[in-house]
Amino acid sequence: MHNKTPLIRLSKRKALPTSKAWGIRLLAILLSLVFCAVLTMLVTDLNPVKVFATMFQGAFGTVRKTWTTGQEIAMLLLVSVALAPAFMMHFWNLGGEGQILIGGLATAACMILLGGKIPNGILILVMTVSAMAAGAIWAFIPAFFKAKWNTNETLFTLMMNYVATQLVAYYVIIWEVPKGSGKIGIINQSTEAGWLPQIGSYKYLLNILIALAVTVLMFIYMRYSKHGYELTVVGESERTARYVGIKVEKVIVRTLILSGAVCGLTGLLLVGSTNHTITTTIADNRGFTAVMVAWLAKFNPISMILSSALLIFLKRGASEISTMYHLNQSFGDILTGIILFFIIGSEFFIQYQIHFRKKGQ
Amino acid sequence: MKKVLSILLASVLCIGTLAACSTAAPAPAAAEPAQEAAEEAAAPAADLSSVKIGFICLHDENSTYDLNFINGAKEACEELGVEYMIRTNVPEGQECYDAACEMADAGCNIVFADSFGHEDFMIQAAKEFPEVQFCHATGTKAHTEGIANYHNAFATIYEGRYLAGIAAGMKLNEMIESGKITAEEAKIGYVGAFTYAEVISGYTSFFLGARSVCPSATMEVTFTGSWYDEIAEKEGATNLINDGCVLISQHADSMGAPTACETAGVPDVSYNGSTIAACPNTFIVSSRIDWAPYYKYIINCVAAGEAIDTDWCGDISTGSVVLTDVNEAVAAEGTVAAIEEAKAALEAGTVHVFDAAAITVGGEPLTTYMADVDTDPEYTPDTEVVADGYFHESEYRSAPYFDLQIDGITLLDTAF
Amino acid sequence: MAGISGSGQKELLEAIAGLQPVEKGTVTYIEDSGETDELIGKDPLEIAKLGVALSFVPEDRLGMGLVGNMDLTDNMMLRSFREGNSVFTDRSAPHDLAGRVVNELEVNTPGLSTPVRRLSGGNVQKVLVGREISSAPTVLLTAYAVRGLDINSSYMIYDLINQQKKNGVAVVYVGEDLDVLLELCDRILVLCGGRVSGIVDGRKITKNEVGMMMTKLGGKQDA
């Protein structure tokens, strides 16, 4: 019996030249845009180019919108950069949301309890230190358990999120104004005590600069420092790490402290610089979106600037489409999902090659 | 590489072809993104065509709370033929400030926000755009901030609750007469969100309405700690039913309590809209605020160049407080007539919901009360609100401030 | 070290290298001066701190000896990255070492920044061995050094080992091929079922006798 080779066969590629890989990625993005365009036309009867122009409008249409887009990118970027060293170490820190919240809670606590009691400069210093320490502790706990008893870090960090959310909910009720409303409102609105300084007349410039600075520092740390090398080895092969005498437990704890501290910093910026209040939803799922940003950028902090920019552009653009064309907010999310799906799918085609049965095989 | 290039070119061709396809007109009354966005709105003109209004909603149409505002908005704007834009899912943070400013940038001369937590950010935006009117529902700071272009609005929903309470009381009477329950067992359950004045005002007025026709009625209240938490609301309603409550009402935005009632066969008075579709066997009536009258008011003010009231409180006569149709299959006989009679009395001013004679607090009659009308972090009571034999709710500011715990109502928990 | 695969060779080598916790026994390092150091209870870094230059070529090349996704330079840096007082790594020395290893051992690779997992088995082993002997060790442990290698590469490895022996390095060679063992080794320790079956003179023993010791403790035939 003559056995035929299967009609469609997959084989893992050996290696793809970088240009070809990027060609596939670009093609995926283009195809996704075409797909979205067709979908938009079928569902809404609108000119797709106009739809994409509106997306652009939503992100960059006015000076104010551009600044808001910049601030959104900065916040998402900061969280993604926080997750980068942990992910590079193959420690799936899904607790970014909780680490942001606890950092924000520490910040709010300082603003509410110490506002007006100590000089503003010192207050801001205390806020910064406590926010970063709070975030660091929040990440330290799951890291310690993983290092000592090899607990599952994915579950542990996820559950810490819930604890943080409930802590914030509790303190919101304690500090609420007015009684029973469940809201704190803007903290120190008249005195601006503890409000992070604004650079000139630009509300969000400080956030953007801090985010970029931390991104560059993290890139240098991961690529060129001894710590960065150690955590990369631990992530790639724990056995090799032990073989060369790297203290794996110490590296895990150290890296997560860093990761949590940067998330805490994000909480500081969200509470002390942007919103001047705290709610349980102030992190706005950035801790989870950042996972996507980090993976798309292959854990390279500089690449995260691009991937966070892409996601924020899609989000703001989709929101604008929903508002302008009276569509439900979810339509924009559908478009974002399709584009992401295509991008991730392209990774598959970069890893594997499809062979079709040729005649006579 | 050649292959990739040719696919790329083909795709570009596709997109070009698609772009060339002509389009149907976008959805009616959609606002075109203003290209000249940087300019602020000019001083209000004398006609409606110059008015552009923006609406900021906390959630979207899936929340009954925001759906109420959105429906009112569409109704008012389409009736007056005014351009409008709606931004949904705007959280109570800096995003609200950004959204309000973006709307002002886009040429809106009125910006409206629907959730309590939006207030501080609306105030910030109001300070930045003195030519644009910023209107905020449920807020409490307009009368103390002293900013000319910032306004609060609410409605005398307690009157609506009172009328709905009468329907509940009639139902209780029907249950007592049919022998289903004794007079002492006429216990109402209420699922509230927070121990917040608006909620307290709501359940107290509902209770007073029920008690006005069923004197033996009592009430138990449980709080969920959230305006929208379907599971907690369902659990709260179930707990109340298990505790012996024979009728339920709520102040929360999900379908949790009504569905629990439908499952248990316990009559329900809902809020913010009729739940008859999902609960045909238990829904009696619902009260809600109709925001269309307020929207028409502010649009007309801006069109005519007049000032908007700092604190606007609509009532039955302005059409701001409405009841849905009574579900005749469940409501007691004569409910509609009783409601109409009470409504007329409220409008005429012969009956007051918070009549001091009907209220005792800790066994003592109500003669005086200092309410926390001006918002401050220490919750200091500042205004005497009892006069002429009744509690003057929603007169010193549009948002309710009745937060007394009256006799006859038991709070099962006060954690929130 | 001879023995059927899985008789405890891996564990013994890892115990000496400080990678396997030890319950009982000693591993003594005797310096030229006659001083002795106890190696049990110390991890690789502490052993190095004692002044004992111990190199270990493990059986699991890509899973333990090297990091597959890293390039040659970064793999060369595995032993030396801690050097220097700066917080930053210095890749220039490892880069040069990588170049030397590639040249001297004739490693077939597209370049120094190729991830090592892309290299063929023999070349991977050359990189690994090259790195381990570059640190001028005084003790060299190798496990199955030529497993899966072609004949040329195998002989290259044997030459390297002999060179180390000439330099006075204490070489522990764990292998399967008895012919090679008898050729290469001065003393042979035979393991059987995790126990020492015998320690014999490699120059005088016969393959048969070693084979008997591998299968049965003590190796004596039943009377």
Side-chain angles (χ1 to χ4, degrees):
Chain A
M1 238 337 263
H2 176 63
N3 270 341
K4 280 189 156 169
T5 53
L7 187 60
I8 301 179
R9 194 169 55 87
L10 290 178
S11 72
K12 198 160 199 303
R13 287 188 206 264
K14 269 208 151 38
L16 214 55
T18 340
S19 55
K20 222 172 174 192
W22 279 105
I24 294 184
R25 289 195 183 101
L26 223 65
L27 180 64
I29 295 181
L30 244 86
L31 278 176
S32 71
L33 293 178
V34 171
F35 193 90
C36 288
V38 172
L39 185 70
T40 313
M41 273 179 50
L42 286 174
V43 170
T44 64
D45 242 3
L46 293 169
N47 181 328
V49 171
K50 203 151 190 210
V51 168
F52 287 114
T54 310
M55 282 187 102
F56 200 83
Q57 196 83 28
F60 302 112
T62 66
V63 173
R64 181 190 305 281
K65 283 187 185 171
T66 312
W67 275 111
T68 310
T69 301
Q71 136 89 356
E72 285 294 313
I73 294 177
M75 292 293 101
L76 184 59
L77 175 64
L78 200 53
V79 185
S80 315
V81 163
L83 298 184
F87 278 24
M88 189 63 129
M89 204 178 61
H90 288 212
F91 183 107
W92 311 119
N93 179 10
L94 299 189
E97 196 80 353
Q99 286 146 27
I100 297 175
L101 279 175
I102 212 79
L105 182 62
T107 310
C110 292
M111 285 168 80
I112 292 175
L113 300 172
L114 299 173
K117 300 206 176 88
I118 57 179
N120 211 29
I122 304 208
L123 174 61
I124 292 182
L125 201 64
V126 171
M127 280 161 57
T128 309
V129 169
S130 45
M132 291 177 76
I137 293 172
W138 216 248
F140 166 79
I141 297 173
F144 179 75
F145 276 77
K146 166 88 183 181
K148 259 266 163 16
W149 296 293
N150 200 24
T151 56
N152 184 319
E153 74 269 20
T154 314
L155 284 177
F156 210 125
T157 50
L158 270 178
M159 293 202 214
M160 295 290 284
N161 288 340
Y162 290 104
V163 179
T165 309
Q166 295 309 321
L167 274 174
V168 172
Y170 178 77
Y171 280 103
V172 164
I173 303 283
I174 295 204
W175 295 327
E176 66 190 354
V177 174
K179 177 99 183 64
S181 62
K183 306 265 171 291
I184 292 184
I186 294 191
I187 303 172
N188 300 336
Q189 190 162 18
S190 43
T191 59
E192 292 195 7
W195 287 29
L196 261 58
Q198 188 174 302
I199 299 181
S201 58
Y202 305 115
K203 265 197 198 316
Y204 303 131
L205 187 55
L206 181 68
N207 292 356
I208 295 176
L209 289 178
I210 291 180
L212 286 176
V214 172
T215 304
V216 171
L217 286 173
M218 187 63 82
F219 177 74
I220 295 174
Y221 177 83
M222 285 171 68
R223 178 77 59 105
Y224 297 111
S225 78
K226 290 179 181 167
H227 284 188
Y229 181 75
E230 277 184 324
L231 71 86
T232 309
V233 174
V234 169
E236 289 290 347
S237 170
E238 199 178 304
R239 292 181 68 204
T240 310
R242 286 189 206 280
Y243 160 75
V244 294
I246 294 177
K247 304 265 189 310
V248 172
E249 292 78 18
K250 195 167 108 173
V251 171
I252 291 179
V253 168
R254 181 179 71 202
T255 309
L256 263 297
I257 288 180
L258 175 66
S259 188
V262 179
C263 281
L265 177 68
T266 313
L268 168 78
L269 292 181
L270 282 173
V271 172
S273 172
T274 312
N275 292 285
H276 307 126
T277 183
I278 185 156
T279 63
T280 50
T281 52
I282 204 166
D284 199 19
N285 281 327
R286 286 186 184 88
F288 299 110
T289 316
V291 173
M292 174 107 279
V293 173
W295 272 95
L296 280 177
K298 299 191 189 312
F299 312 149
N300 179 338
I302 304 292
S303 307
M304 285 177 193
I305 301 178
L306 288 173
S307 53
S308 59
L310 171 69
L311 280 171
I312 293 295
F313 172 78
L314 289 175
K315 176 172 160 213
R316 304 235 334 132
S319 171
E320 185 81 1
I321 294 178
S322 304
T323 312
M324 282 299 146
Y325 299 114
H326 292 227
L327 298 170
N328 189 291
Q329 199 75 16
S330 310
F331 184 74
D333 291 338
I334 294 176
L335 292 185
T336 308
I338 292 175
I339 295 178
L340 286 175
F341 185 77
F342 272 75
I343 293 178
I344 296 165
S346 72
E347 294 298 320
F348 172 80
F349 286 103
I350 293 175
Q351 298 278 333
Y352 292 89
Q353 193 164 12
I354 301 187
H355 303 270
F356 294 98
R357 180 172 68 210
K358 294 204 197 26
K359 225 174 150 175
Q361 273 184 324
Chain B
M1 196 53 213
K2 237 199 214 167
K3 236 191 205 171
V4 179
L5 195 63
S6 50
I7 297 177
L8 259 160
L9 286 172
S11 313
V12 170
L13 203 62
C14 278
I15 295 179
T17 319
L18 287 168
C21 301
S22 63
T23 65
E32 289 289 330
Q35 298 295 341
E36 340 72 45
E39 285 184 59
E40 291 174 356
D47 61 321
L48 287 169
S49 60
S50 68
V51 175
K52 187 165 163 183
I53 177 167
F55 297 92
I56 293 175
C57 294
L58 179 64
H59 297 120
D60 58 18
E61 298 86 355
N62 294 315
S63 156
T64 51
Y65 181 74
D66 300 279
L67 181 61
N68 198 25
F69 286 93
I70 293 174
N71 287 340
K74 288 190 184 156
E75 188 194 313
C77 293
E78 277 161 30
E79 194 186 303
L80 295 178
V82 159
E83 220 187 315
Y84 68 103
M85 56 196 297
I86 303 180
R87 274 283 278 275
T88 54
N89 293 318
V90 178
E92 291 159 323
Q94 190 69 356
E95 295 89 339
C96 172
Y97 165 82
D98 286 332
C101 292
E102 283 174 25
M103 286 178 168
D105 279 343
C108 288
N109 18 39
I110 315 174
V111 176
F112 178 88
D114 75 353
S115 182
F116 182 79
H118 287 150
E119 176 155 52
D120 286 339
F121 303 97
M122 286 288 277
I123 292 177
Q124 264 187 324
K127 289 180 185 163
E128 225 177 282
F129 289 91
E131 298 297 313
V132 176
Q133 303 304 313
F134 290 84
C135 300
H136 177 244
T138 77
T140 59
K141 292 188 178 171
H143 70 286
T144 45
E145 283 290 323
I147 304 173
N149 60 332
Y150 178 70
H151 323 278
N152 282 141
F154 210 80
T156 56
I157 188 62
Y158 63 89
E159 293 185 323
R161 294 266 191 196
Y162 183 82
L163 295 173
I166 290 180
M170 304 276 299
K171 182 70 182 172
L172 287 173
N173 284 343
E174 183 194 88
M175 289 200 279
I176 295 173
E177 264 154 48
S178 72
K180 193 154 174 237
I181 57 171
T182 66
E184 282 66 44
E185 289 170 341
K187 193 157 67 161
I188 306 173
Y190 197 96
V191 180
F194 298 96
T195 52
Y196 179 49
E198 191 188 316
V199 177
I200 300 175
S201 175
Y203 67 65
T204 310
S205 48
F206 177 76
F207 176 66
L208 290 170
R211 199 160 69 173
S212 71
V213 294
C214 177
S216 62
T218 56
M219 185 152 98
E220 274 182 0
V221 185
T222 178
F223 297 96
T224 61
S226 163
W227 292 112
Y228 189 103
D229 184 342
E230 178 141 8
I231 298 172
E233 288 159 33
K234 194 182 270 190
E235 228 180 271
T238 312
N239 287 343
L240 289 165
I241 295 171
N242 290 340
D243 203 33
C245 293
V246 296
L247 187 145
I248 303 286
S249 186
Q250 78 258 16
H251 190 159
D253 301 337
S254 81
M255 289 292 291
T259 39
C261 290
E262 184 74 0
T263 316
V266 168
D268 176 61
V269 172
S270 54
Y271 183 60
N272 261 340
S274 171
T275 51
I276 192 172
C279 312
N281 301 318
T282 53
F283 169 72
I284 299 179
V285 74
S286 168
S287 58
R288 72 180 183 95
I289 301 179
D290 186 350
W291 286 97
Y294 180 66
Y295 296 145
K296 288 189 216 162
Y297 164 69
I298 56 178
I299 292 172
N300 283 322
C301 278
V302 169
E306 284 164 14
I308 302 175
D309 275 351
T310 308
D311 248 303
W312 189 89
C313 196
D315 53 29
I316 300 175
S317 60
T318 61
S320 299
V321 175
V322 293
L323 293 177
T324 60
D325 287 335
V326 171
N327 183 4
E328 300 278 2
V330 182
E333 230 186 281
T335 300
V336 177
I339 289 178
E340 287 306 314
E341 195 187 317
K343 198 197 295 196
L346 286 173
E347 266 186 280
T350 49
V351 168
H352 298 285
V353 171
F354 295 111
D355 195 333
I359 299 173
T360 56
V361 181
E364 298 294 319
L366 180 67
T367 48
T368 168
Y369 185 66
M370 295 290 278
D372 180 18
V373 173
D374 299 336
T375 308
D376 65 300
E378 275 79 45
Y379 321 138
T380 35
D382 42 62
T383 316
E384 173 62 61
V385 291
V386 177
D388 316 314
Y390 67 98
F391 184 111
H392 290 244
E393 173 70 301
S394 293
E395 285 178 33
Y396 295 98
R397 83 170 185 219
S398 57
Y401 40 81
F402 184 102
D403 56 2
L404 288 160
Q405 314 288 11
I406 72 170
D407 297 328
I409 302 180
T410 326
L411 300 186
L412 292 184
D413 47 67
T414 49
F416 304 107
Chain C
M1 222 183 272
I4 301 169
S5 205
S7 303
Q9 300 95 312
K10 178 168 92 88
E11 288 74 5
L12 184 51
L13 285 191
E14 285 184 10
I16 301 173
L19 296 171
Q20 167 78 248
V22 173
E23 281 176 17
K24 244 175 28 179
T26 67
V27 175
T28 316
Y29 175 82
I30 307 165
E31 298 191 36
D32 287 334
S33 60
E35 247 185 83
T36 57
D37 295 302
E38 175 60 56
L39 295 188
I40 300 288
K42 297 190 172 60
D43 68 23
L45 281 184
E46 286 160 346
I47 293 176
K49 230 183 260 173
L50 277 179
V52 178
L54 190 151
S55 285
F56 177 26
V57 178
E59 178 184 353
D60 188 355
R61 296 155 196 170
L62 283 177
M64 192 180 200
L66 299 164
V67 178
N69 281 328
M70 283 182 165
D71 64 17
L72 273 79
T73 306
D74 278 359
N75 271 295
M76 288 300 157
M77 205 160 67
L78 271 174
R79 290 282 189 198
S80 62
F81 74 91
R82 292 186 191 87
E83 279 160 27
N85 284 326
S86 155
V87 295
F88 295 110
T89 52
D90 177 14
R91 282 187 166 79
S92 54
H95 183 86
D96 294 337
L97 172 62
R100 281 205 308 277
V101 167
V102 166
N103 274 337
E104 287 166 25
L105 302 188
E106 293 165 27
V107 178
N108 188 3
T109 168
L112 293 184
S113 32
T114 319
V116 294
R117 63 176 162 76
R118 296 244 191 94
L119 305 179
S120 74
N123 288 307
V124 168
Q125 184 67 325
K126 286 188 205 173
V127 169
L128 181 53
V129 173
R131 182 191 74 211
E132 289 302 296
I133 63 180
S134 71
S135 52
T138 51
V139 179
L140 176 63
L141 312 171
T142 65
Y144 306 104
V146 299
R147 188 187 267 171
L149 262 57
D150 62 272
I151 201 78
N152 269 335
S153 311
S154 300
Y155 272 83
M156 201 177 277
I157 303 288
Y158 300 144
D159 283 341
L160 284 171
I161 291 176
N162 278 327
Q163 189 66 40
Q164 293 299 302
K165 196 168 87 167
K166 267 203 201 138
N167 291 344
V169 177
V171 181
V172 177
Y173 179 92
V174 172
E176 290 172 304
D177 190 331
L178 289 181
D179 293 309
V180 171
L181 274 168
L182 291 175
E183 268 298 317
L184 219 46
C185 302
D186 305 291
R187 256 189 327 168
I188 301 180
L189 178 145
V190 187
L191 288 173
C192 177
R195 308 176 94 84
V196 176
S197 191
I199 302 179
V200 293
D201 185 345
R203 291 162 279 206
K204 299 206 182 97
I205 199 77
T206 65
K207 231 166 92 169
N208 229 17
E209 286 165 316
V210 176
M212 292 303 303
M213 283 195 271
M214 275 165 69
T215 50
K216 203 170 135 78
L217 260 182
K220 300 274 187 294
Q221 267 185 315
D222 285 328

